């Protein structure tokens, strides 16, 4: 345990002054950056049914979960150690149909941290009708990144295995 504390002190001693301050506050990760709890790639296709068929039936990705309208659901597929969400619709160019989804502990704290760091914020944190709190940023090449906080009472936090059988 003492070794770990000594290594952390050495890392903090080598960090830039601003990083040392953030790390000392305990925001985000040990190094002061964002702490990612979960992630996924978001695909907003021109034709949801066609893309859902391709990823599920042609490519053969396993389904993690479906959501939304039973007749035309969004689907989250297992993608190795991550996930691919195919949902919604995009009439835009192909470069704007792929996004990155990052689950964080505290989206409001990340908003403050990213705004102070000069990140391009497309949309401030908003609680969506589906219960997640989301904010949107953009990387230097225009890739949209969705930072998401899952509230404690949201179904994504419930373990269906612990529910009594019906």
């Amino acid at each position: 345990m003492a070794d770990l504390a000594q290594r952390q002190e050495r890392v903090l001693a080598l960090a830039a002054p601003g990083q040392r301050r953030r790390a000392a506050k305990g925001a985000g990760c040990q190094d002061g950056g964002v702490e990612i709890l979960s992630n996924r790639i978001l695909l907003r296709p021109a034709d949801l049914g066609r893309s859902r068929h391709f990823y599920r039936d042609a490519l053969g990705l396993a389904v993690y979960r479906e959501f939304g309208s039973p007749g035309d659901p969004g689907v989250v597929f297992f993608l190795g150690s991550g996930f691919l969400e195919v949902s919604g619709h995009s009439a835009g160019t192909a470069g704007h149909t792929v996004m990155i989804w990052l689950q964080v502990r505290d989206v409001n704290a990340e908003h403050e941290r990213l705004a102070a760091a000069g990140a391009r914020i497309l949309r401030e944190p908003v609680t969506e009708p589906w219960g997640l709190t989301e904010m949107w940023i953009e990387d230097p090449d225009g890739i949209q990144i969705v930072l998401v906080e899952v509230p404690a009472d949201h179904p994504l936090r419930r373990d269906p295995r612990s529910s009594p059988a019906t």
Side-chain angles (χ1 to χ4, degrees):
M1 196 68 143
D3 275 350
L4 178 60
Q6 289 172 340
R7 279 184 284 173
Q8 288 173 339
E9 285 300 315
R10 276 183 267 166
V11 168
L12 287 174
L14 296 173
Q19 290 177 331
R20 201 173 18 241
R21 234 183 345 270
R22 280 198 315 263
K25 283 192 213 174
C29 286
Q30 176 180 335
D31 67 356
V34 63
E35 179 182 14
I36 303 300
L37 303 177
S38 178
N39 67 80
R40 64 179 67 163
I41 297 169
L42 303 179
L43 176 62
R44 300 291 186 249
D47 182 330
L48 178 58
R50 182 182 65 191
S51 292
R52 195 174 43 234
H53 171 75
F54 172 79
Y55 286 103
R56 182 186 56 219
D57 304 323
L59 191 57
L61 295 180
V63 173
Y64 169 63
R65 68 183 287 259
E66 293 185 347
F67 60 94
S69 165
D72 198 23
V75 182
V76 179
F77 296 98
F78 285 104
L79 196 61
S81 62
F83 299 98
L84 170 67
E85 177 181 316
V86 180
S87 64
H89 174 78
S90 175
T93 61
H96 291 287
T97 64
V98 176
M99 295 172 271
I100 299 171
W101 186 97
L102 302 174
Q103 181 185 348
V104 299
R105 286 193 194 283
D106 185 340
V107 74
N108 291 305
E110 291 305 325
H111 175 255
E112 288 179 28
R113 188 182 67 78
L114 289 163
R120 181 172 168 165
I121 296 173
L122 301 177
R123 197 181 81 186
E124 295 186 0
V126 171
T127 300
E128 299 291 356
W130 47 88
L132 301 178
T133 304
E134 299 183 0
M135 76 172 275
W136 294 53
I137 63 173
E138 187 174 74
D139 84 355
D141 292 316
I143 301 294
Q144 292 182 355
I145 302 169
V146 184
L147 278 76
V148 178
E149 180 179 335
V150 180
D153 62 346
H154 193 276
L156 285 175
R157 293 232 187 183
R158 292 188 205 123
D159 184 348
R161 297 172 296 180
S162 63
S163 299
T166 55

